[in-house]
mmCIF file of all heavy atoms in Angstrom:
data_model
loop_
_atom_site.group_PDB
_atom_site.id
_atom_site.type_symbol
_atom_site.label_atom_id
_atom_site.label_comp_id
_atom_site.label_asym_id
_atom_site.label_seq_id
_atom_site.Cartn_x
_atom_site.Cartn_y
_atom_site.Cartn_z
ATOM 1 N N ALA T 29 14.552 -28.849 11.518
ATOM 2 C CA ALA T 29 15.079 -29.576 10.370
ATOM 3 C C ALA T 29 15.734 -28.600 9.397
ATOM 4 O O ALA T 29 15.340 -27.427 9.313
ATOM 5 C CB ALA T 29 13.959 -30.342 9.679
ATOM 6 N N GLU T 32 13.381 -26.851 6.931
ATOM 7 C CA GLU T 32 12.583 -25.803 7.567
ATOM 8 C C GLU T 32 13.424 -24.568 7.857
ATOM 9 O O GLU T 32 12.954 -23.435 7.713
ATOM 10 C CB GLU T 32 11.912 -26.332 8.836
ATOM 11 C CG GLU T 32 10.786 -27.304 8.558
ATOM 12 C CD GLU T 32 9.781 -26.791 7.544
ATOM 13 O OE1 GLU T 32 9.313 -25.642 7.673
ATOM 14 O OE2 GLU T 32 9.461 -27.529 6.602
ATOM 15 N N ARG T 35 13.843 -22.823 4.526
ATOM 16 C CA ARG T 35 12.595 -22.134 4.179
ATOM 17 C C ARG T 35 12.401 -20.883 5.021
ATOM 18 O O ARG T 35 11.985 -19.837 4.514
ATOM 19 C CB ARG T 35 11.408 -23.077 4.364
ATOM 20 C CG ARG T 35 11.317 -24.163 3.327
ATOM 21 C CD ARG T 35 10.194 -25.122 3.633
ATOM 22 N NE ARG T 35 10.024 -26.093 2.575
ATOM 23 C CZ ARG T 35 9.548 -27.313 2.771
ATOM 24 N NH1 ARG T 35 9.181 -27.700 3.985
ATOM 25 N NH2 ARG T 35 9.428 -28.138 1.759
ATOM 26 N N ILE T 38 14.480 -18.041 3.753
ATOM 27 C CA ILE T 38 13.926 -17.467 2.526
ATOM 28 C C ILE T 38 12.783 -16.506 2.847
ATOM 29 O O ILE T 38 12.759 -15.369 2.368
ATOM 30 C CB ILE T 38 13.449 -18.583 1.568
ATOM 31 C CG1 ILE T 38 14.662 -19.342 1.016
ATOM 32 C CG2 ILE T 38 12.596 -18.013 0.437
ATOM 33 C CD1 ILE T 38 14.307 -20.595 0.244
ATOM 34 N N TYR T 42 13.017 -12.603 1.970
ATOM 35 C CA TYR T 42 12.302 -12.197 0.745
ATOM 36 C C TYR T 42 10.796 -12.027 0.913
ATOM 37 O O TYR T 42 10.152 -11.460 0.035
ATOM 38 C CB TYR T 42 12.556 -13.213 -0.372
ATOM 39 C CG TYR T 42 13.995 -13.337 -0.750
ATOM 40 C CD1 TYR T 42 14.812 -14.275 -0.141
ATOM 41 C CD2 TYR T 42 14.566 -12.509 -1.714
ATOM 42 C CE1 TYR T 42 16.147 -14.393 -0.481
ATOM 43 C CE2 TYR T 42 15.902 -12.617 -2.063
ATOM 44 C CZ TYR T 42 16.685 -13.562 -1.431
ATOM 45 O OH TYR T 42 18.008 -13.679 -1.768
ATOM 46 N N GLY T 43 10.234 -12.597 1.943
ATOM 47 C CA GLY T 43 8.798 -12.517 2.139
ATOM 48 C C GLY T 43 8.032 -13.678 1.551
ATOM 49 O O GLY T 43 6.982 -14.048 2.049
ATOM 50 N N THR T 47 9.554 -14.803 -4.972
ATOM 51 C CA THR T 47 10.466 -13.665 -5.072
ATOM 52 C C THR T 47 11.908 -14.122 -4.928
ATOM 53 O O THR T 47 12.776 -13.740 -5.718
ATOM 54 C CB THR T 47 10.133 -12.601 -4.007
ATOM 55 O OG1 THR T 47 8.809 -12.133 -4.242
ATOM 56 C CG2 THR T 47 11.102 -11.433 -4.061
ATOM 57 N N ALA T 48 12.182 -14.957 -3.941
ATOM 58 C CA ALA T 48 13.542 -15.468 -3.745
ATOM 59 C C ALA T 48 14.010 -16.251 -4.963
ATOM 60 O O ALA T 48 15.134 -16.061 -5.444
ATOM 61 C CB ALA T 48 13.594 -16.353 -2.499
ATOM 62 N N TRP T 49 13.149 -17.111 -5.461
ATOM 63 C CA TRP T 49 13.496 -17.963 -6.601
ATOM 64 C C TRP T 49 13.851 -17.116 -7.822
ATOM 65 O O TRP T 49 14.876 -17.326 -8.454
ATOM 66 C CB TRP T 49 12.326 -18.899 -6.911
ATOM 67 C CG TRP T 49 12.631 -19.914 -7.959
ATOM 68 C CD1 TRP T 49 12.336 -19.839 -9.289
ATOM 69 C CD2 TRP T 49 13.304 -21.164 -7.769
ATOM 70 N NE1 TRP T 49 12.777 -20.954 -9.943
ATOM 71 C CE2 TRP T 49 13.369 -21.786 -9.030
ATOM 72 C CE3 TRP T 49 13.844 -21.808 -6.655
ATOM 73 C CZ2 TRP T 49 13.964 -23.047 -9.204
ATOM 74 C CZ3 TRP T 49 14.426 -23.049 -6.829
ATOM 75 C CH2 TRP T 49 14.485 -23.653 -8.094
ATOM 76 N N ASP T 52 17.107 -14.331 -6.788
ATOM 77 C CA ASP T 52 18.448 -14.748 -6.387
ATOM 78 C C ASP T 52 18.757 -16.229 -6.499
ATOM 79 O O ASP T 52 19.916 -16.610 -6.373
ATOM 80 C CB ASP T 52 18.708 -14.327 -4.930
ATOM 81 C CG ASP T 52 19.039 -12.859 -4.796
ATOM 82 O OD1 ASP T 52 19.470 -12.250 -5.792
ATOM 83 O OD2 ASP T 52 18.866 -12.319 -3.698
ATOM 84 N N SER T 62 21.004 -26.588 -10.145
ATOM 85 C CA SER T 62 22.027 -27.625 -10.049
ATOM 86 C C SER T 62 22.607 -27.575 -8.640
ATOM 87 O O SER T 62 22.307 -26.654 -7.866
ATOM 88 C CB SER T 62 23.138 -27.367 -11.074
ATOM 89 O OG SER T 62 23.844 -26.175 -10.720
ATOM 90 N N CYS T 70 21.989 -20.908 -1.377
ATOM 91 C CA CYS T 70 22.058 -21.005 0.088
ATOM 92 C C CYS T 70 22.827 -19.825 0.668
ATOM 93 O O CYS T 70 22.451 -19.280 1.710
ATOM 94 C CB CYS T 70 22.703 -22.322 0.503
ATOM 95 S SG CYS T 70 21.602 -23.746 0.316
ATOM 96 N N TRP T 83 20.946 -30.780 0.926
ATOM 97 C CA TRP T 83 20.805 -31.353 -0.415
ATOM 98 C C TRP T 83 20.393 -32.814 -0.313
ATOM 99 O O TRP T 83 19.462 -33.264 -0.983
ATOM 100 C CB TRP T 83 22.128 -31.189 -1.165
ATOM 101 C CG TRP T 83 22.141 -31.667 -2.577
ATOM 102 C CD1 TRP T 83 22.618 -32.866 -3.029
ATOM 103 C CD2 TRP T 83 21.691 -30.978 -3.746
ATOM 104 N NE1 TRP T 83 22.496 -32.949 -4.393
ATOM 105 C CE2 TRP T 83 21.932 -31.807 -4.853
ATOM 106 C CE3 TRP T 83 21.118 -29.718 -3.950
ATOM 107 C CZ2 TRP T 83 21.624 -31.428 -6.149
ATOM 108 C CZ3 TRP T 83 20.799 -29.348 -5.258
ATOM 109 C CH2 TRP T 83 21.054 -30.193 -6.337
ATOM 110 N N ARG T 97 9.278 -26.227 -6.696
ATOM 111 C CA ARG T 97 8.217 -27.078 -6.143
ATOM 112 C C ARG T 97 8.735 -27.937 -4.993
ATOM 113 O O ARG T 97 8.005 -28.239 -4.055
ATOM 114 C CB ARG T 97 7.626 -27.938 -7.252
ATOM 115 C CG ARG T 97 6.378 -28.650 -6.853
ATOM 116 C CD ARG T 97 5.709 -29.293 -8.032
ATOM 117 N NE ARG T 97 4.490 -29.948 -7.609
ATOM 118 C CZ ARG T 97 3.646 -30.497 -8.423
ATOM 119 N NH1 ARG T 97 3.858 -30.468 -9.726
ATOM 120 N NH2 ARG T 97 2.564 -31.088 -7.984
ATOM 121 N N PHE T 110 1.895 -19.986 -14.080
ATOM 122 C CA PHE T 110 2.026 -18.674 -14.708
ATOM 123 C C PHE T 110 2.899 -18.757 -15.958
ATOM 124 O O PHE T 110 2.558 -18.215 -17.009
ATOM 125 C CB PHE T 110 2.608 -17.652 -13.724
ATOM 126 C CG PHE T 110 2.703 -16.279 -14.312
ATOM 127 C CD1 PHE T 110 1.571 -15.483 -14.414
ATOM 128 C CD2 PHE T 110 3.907 -15.782 -14.782
ATOM 129 C CE1 PHE T 110 1.645 -14.206 -14.982
ATOM 130 C CE2 PHE T 110 3.993 -14.511 -15.346
ATOM 131 C CZ PHE T 110 2.859 -13.730 -15.442
ATOM 132 N N ARG T 131 1.495 0.584 -23.583
ATOM 133 C CA ARG T 131 2.030 1.898 -23.957
ATOM 134 C C ARG T 131 3.493 1.829 -24.388
ATOM 135 O O ARG T 131 4.059 2.841 -24.791
ATOM 136 C CB ARG T 131 1.893 2.870 -22.791
ATOM 137 C CG ARG T 131 0.465 3.152 -22.425
ATOM 138 C CD ARG T 131 0.398 4.207 -21.349
ATOM 139 N NE ARG T 131 -0.902 4.183 -20.712
ATOM 140 C CZ ARG T 131 -1.119 4.502 -19.461
ATOM 141 N NH1 ARG T 131 -0.127 4.870 -18.686
ATOM 142 N NH2 ARG T 131 -2.333 4.446 -18.964
ATOM 143 N N GLU T 147 -7.190 -9.176 -16.820
ATOM 144 C CA GLU T 147 -8.005 -8.827 -17.988
ATOM 145 C C GLU T 147 -7.641 -9.672 -19.200
ATOM 146 O O GLU T 147 -8.478 -9.931 -20.059
ATOM 147 C CB GLU T 147 -7.856 -7.343 -18.310
ATOM 148 C CG GLU T 147 -8.533 -6.442 -17.297
ATOM 149 C CD GLU T 147 -8.243 -4.964 -17.500
ATOM 150 O OE1 GLU T 147 -7.486 -4.610 -18.429
ATOM 151 O OE2 GLU T 147 -8.773 -4.150 -16.708
ATOM 152 N N PHE T 161 4.779 -11.115 -10.091
ATOM 153 C CA PHE T 161 5.280 -9.827 -10.536
ATOM 154 C C PHE T 161 6.604 -9.483 -9.870
ATOM 155 O O PHE T 161 7.506 -8.967 -10.488
ATOM 156 C CB PHE T 161 4.272 -8.709 -10.232
ATOM 157 C CG PHE T 161 4.785 -7.331 -10.512
ATOM 158 C CD1 PHE T 161 4.737 -6.825 -11.800
ATOM 159 C CD2 PHE T 161 5.341 -6.552 -9.513
ATOM 160 C CE1 PHE T 161 5.220 -5.558 -12.087
ATOM 161 C CE2 PHE T 161 5.834 -5.281 -9.773
ATOM 162 C CZ PHE T 161 5.774 -4.777 -11.065
ATOM 163 N N ASP T 162 6.705 -9.770 -8.585
ATOM 164 C CA ASP T 162 7.898 -9.403 -7.794
ATOM 165 C C ASP T 162 9.199 -9.831 -8.420
ATOM 166 O O ASP T 162 9.381 -10.834 -8.945
ATOM 167 C CB ASP T 162 7.792 -10.009 -6.397
ATOM 168 C CG ASP T 162 7.487 -8.951 -5.364
ATOM 169 O OD1 ASP T 162 7.567 -7.762 -5.676
ATOM 170 O OD2 ASP T 162 7.161 -9.359 -4.243
#
Side-chain angles (χ1 to χ4, degrees):
E32 289 310 311
R35 288 175 175 151
I38 291 171
Y42 299 92
T47 299
W49 186 263
D52 282 338
S62 67
C70 285
W83 183 261
R97 191 170 181 174
F110 182 78
R131 296 185 198 149
E147 289 172 359
F161 173 83
D162 253 349

